[in-house]
Amino acid sequence: MSEENLRLVRSAYEALNRGDIETMVELCEPSFRLDMSQRVFNPATYEGHDGIRRFYSEVREVWEEFRWEPEDLRDAGDSVVALLHSYGRGRASGVKIDRHVAMVWSVSKGRASALRFYLDQAEA
């Protein structure tokens, strides 16, 4: 099961990075919970498939370019710890970010059920 979980998370980042939000939605449970409360800009929590769409819409509104590049995906049973290099450029400001962060994905029955964002990879 753990290899399947790693494949699922890898597929989710590939979908996000190419702007295919509907594939991302398909990989997630209808009750998916996206906890971005540690995010510096606009900390929030998003619920369900509509929450995923709202999150992505907000990212596209603020960022001209934004990518999440997995550097290491670690199996943790029913979870996957994703150590990421994320970078982007602000749409209006042109401000650039380049940082190393983490996300912990919870997986149940072949679909993502939750994701929590961490600014500090060690905390994840």
Side-chain angles (χ1 to χ4, degrees), residues 87-103:
Y87 55 92
R89 184 176 59 250
R91 185 170 300 286
S93 66
V95 70
K96 292 182 182 180
I97 65 162
D98 188 331
R99 62 188 180 184
H100 296 273
V101 297
M103 292 182 175

Side-chain angles (χ1 to χ4, degrees), residues 9 11 13 17 21-22 26 40 43 53 75 82 84-86 92:
V9 170
S11 294
Y13 287 115
N17 287 333
I21 198 62
E22 291 309 312
E26 290 172 15
V40 174
R53 290 181 187 102
D75 173 38
L84 306 167
H85 176 206
S86 65

